[in-house]
Amino acid sequence: SVIYPNPTTGKIFCNLNLDCVIKIVDIFGNQVEVKISNNSIDMSGFGNGNYYIQFYKDKKVYINRFLKI
């Protein structure tokens, strides 16, 4: 999946697939709780830094890194 904008100051957008599981973790591996709506994820309440978005589908994991500034 493609995520944009990267880096972001608030929302990130991605072509979300409804039949996959999405997790976002910080650089320490801690999962962060986010709201997902209309193919966007609101990261505005989180600290600056690197995050990883993980898409789980059909026993495969796809990982993208993005920067919150």
Side-chain angles (χ1 to χ4, degrees), residues 13-65:
F13 298 89
C14 55
N15 52 339
L16 298 175
N17 189 336
L18 294 178
D19 60 343
C20 72
V21 175
I22 298 170
K23 294 181 183 177
I24 296 182
V25 296
D26 62 17
I27 60 170
F28 302 108
N30 300 315
Q31 185 173 338
V32 296
E33 298 295 322
V34 294
K35 279 190 173 184
I36 301 171
S37 63
N38 298 326
N39 290 339
S40 70
I41 301 170
D42 186 8
M43 295 295 295
S44 61
F46 295 93
N48 295 347
N50 288 296
Y51 291 87
Y52 296 90
I53 184 166
Q54 304 171 342
F55 300 91
Y56 295 84
K57 181 176 172 135
D58 299 328
K59 298 183 181 179
K60 295 181 182 177
V61 180
Y62 304 92
I63 301 173
N64 287 318
R65 183 182 62 84

